[in-house]
Amino acid sequence: MNRTKAIGIALTSVLLGGGALALAGYSLASATPHQTAQKCVPNPTKVGHCTLTISSYPDSLAGGHGKDGGAHPDWVSYLNQDLSVPANTVVDMVVNQYDGGEVLNNIFFDQVMGTIGNVAKYDGVTLSKVAPDHVGHTFTLRGYPGLNGQSGKRIFLNVPLIANEGENAVKIGSGEYPKPVVIEFSFKVGSKGVYQWNCEYPCGSSRVGQFGFAMASYGYMAGTLTVE
Amino acid sequence: MTNSNDNKKSLKSFYWLWAILTALGIAVSLYAPGYLMPESMSQTMHLSVLTMVVFSVAAAPVAAGVYAAALYILRNWTHKGDSVPAAGPAFRESGKVVITWTLTSVLLTVFLLIWGLGALAADSAGSTANPLVVKVVGQQWVWSFEYQGQNGTTVMSNDLYLPKGREVLFHVTSLDVTHGFWAPQMGTQVDANDETITDLHVTPNKLGTFDVRCTQFCGLNHAFMVTQGHVLTPSAFTTWLNAQPARS
């Protein structure tokens, strides 16, 4: 093999390899979320506020994962995982909690943190913390300036969701659930950024710390909140 | 075949190349850490950076020798054509070369050992009788920190607050999988293991904020298992601690 041919093959290999890497990087960077983000609805009566309503279920039968709960109908789930809110607004959030629960593995998460006033309303009652042995899930949201190039402010928010011990009373999708515990809280967001949220109540089972399955998969107990 | 004068003349270019690359390596060793390493906020981190600089400077002539030899050989001894080149004299037959590189390797290794032991001894962490005890809890995918508050109560926080100038004893643990507790500016890193407490000492010596990250791939949101640390004056730290709600 002459030198020119060898150099040509080497250069072609490098270019093809670099091209493959660039293509993979571009595909990952432009990948769309696994679901359409649920948008925060502007509140016509409160300037600068929007309302976001999500729900937590003991299974995946409520409709978000397709007919009869999709691939894992018995996995606990939030109905919507990817959330979208406008920049520089106050997000008034409502969580309908349909699931039961037991004991947190870390009492740090029995406290409401990062909301306006560090409180939340539970069926209309304002609380700053709940009993750590009576928690169903948590909505724990966090973001750190600099990650993913985000410029928004740093957020650490935790709202424990009280365990729902009611009898089944409503049918949603192909599931039956008790009347929900309604949890309301508000928090401020700054400029653009992507934040991560997940549940910190160990509800995933079958792995160390009960953080497997639903807890370890996007689309069930974890998602993103995009400020745009 | 080349004569002795040709060899000496030819080797001169190798020595020049070696010297230039060594100078370049030393310059990079001295100045690059300032740009690449996190700000030092403890004696532990200071010693880590210093050790890296000294080891890099010590390694510069060795690395430069390798690169210079490679470049020199590529430039002067490249064989052209399809025939198999004749074997040259082997280095191992030169007593001077063998003795030189063996002695150099031994001396460098002994130097690294002595420096490492000295640096460990100089880091006085763990010597204080009354350190501030902070329990560090990692769980997928959040850090939480527990302090002893007033009247035996427990104070918890997602941010890590430390007083300047006081030794801190971390009790590091995990509630699920293995995490890695890493505070880059403090120069400290240790695994957080389930049902195990691992001790780690550090004495912050500079006010400001620092990063806390997880260094063990721990699942879905590992990349986002980050939080902030804050080094406060002792009085500001006491004020912060007393202002936190008691947890038990």
Side-chain angles (χ1 to χ4, degrees), chain A residues 50-224:
Chain A
C50 68
T51 304
L52 200 52
T53 302
I54 63 173
S55 303
S56 59
Y57 298 97
D59 51 39
S60 294
L61 299 172
H65 292 85
K67 188 174 182 297
D68 296 329
H72 304 288
D74 57 334
W75 284 13
V76 292
S77 65
Y78 276 91
L79 188 58
N80 294 87
Q81 293 80 38
D82 292 324
L83 313 171
S84 169
V85 302
N88 303 307
T89 53
V90 175
V91 180
D92 297 321
M93 196 145 178
V94 180
V95 182
N96 295 309
Q97 151 70 336
Y98 291 95
D99 196 8
E102 288 183 358
V103 186
L104 281 167
N105 63 356
N106 185 351
I107 63 165
F108 180 58
F109 296 101
D110 70 3
Q111 188 163 305
V112 182
M113 295 177 276
T115 64
I116 293 176
N118 290 320
V119 293
K121 282 185 179 176
Y122 294 82
D123 281 339
V125 179
T126 301
L127 299 173
S128 61
K129 71 190 290 287
V130 303
D133 58 353
H134 198 62
V135 172
H137 300 286
T138 75
F139 180 80
T140 306
L141 171 71
R142 62 190 169 275
Y144 196 83
L147 284 179
N148 291 335
Q150 67 184 42
S151 58
K153 68 172 187 172
R154 183 168 172 241
I155 288 178
F156 181 75
L157 179 146
N158 177 71
V159 178
L161 312 184
I162 288 177
N164 189 332
E165 295 177 343
E167 297 292 322
N168 284 353
V170 294
K171 189 169 172 57
I172 304 171
S174 52
E176 287 187 31
Y177 310 101
K179 187 174 169 237
V181 176
V182 179
I183 298 132
E184 300 165 272
F185 54 92
S186 299
F187 62 97
K188 292 177 186 171
V189 296
S191 54
K192 291 182 180 180
V194 179
Y195 299 84
Q196 312 295 319
W197 67 264
N198 62 273
C199 171
E200 289 296 344
Y201 171 77
C203 57
S205 74
S206 297
R207 294 284 286 277
V208 177
Q210 304 265 304
F211 264 70
F213 295 167
M215 295 291 281
S217 308
Y218 277 125
Y220 291 90
M221 300 308 291
T224 60

Side-chain angles (χ1 to χ4, degrees), chain A residues 1 3 105-111 113 129 140 142 144-145 147-148 154 156 194 196-200 208-212 215-218 222-223, chain B residues 78-80 137 139-146 156-159 175-177 194 210-213 220-221 223-228 230 245 247-248:
Chain A
M1 185 185 297
R3 180 175 288 192
N105 63 356
N106 185 351
I107 63 165
F108 180 58
F109 296 101
D110 70 3
Q111 188 163 305
M113 295 177 276
K129 71 190 290 287
T140 306
R142 62 190 169 275
Y144 196 83
L147 284 179
N148 291 335
R154 183 168 172 241
F156 181 75
V194 179
Q196 312 295 319
W197 67 264
N198 62 273
C199 171
E200 289 296 344
V208 177
Q210 304 265 304
F211 264 70
M215 295 291 281
S217 308
Y218 277 125
Chain B
T78 302
H79 178 71
K80 296 180 176 66
V137 179
Q139 72 183 93
Q140 293 170 312
W141 296 272
V142 175
W143 293 107
S144 58
F145 307 100
E146 294 181 26
M156 302 180 85
S157 172
N158 175 244
D159 280 19
L175 295 177
D176 39 55
V177 298
D194 184 30
F210 59 94
D211 302 315
V212 176
R213 293 176 176 273
L220 190 67
N221 279 332
F224 304 100
M225 194 170 167
V226 294
T227 188
Q228 255 181 353
H230 311 265
R247 303 305 303 270
S248 60

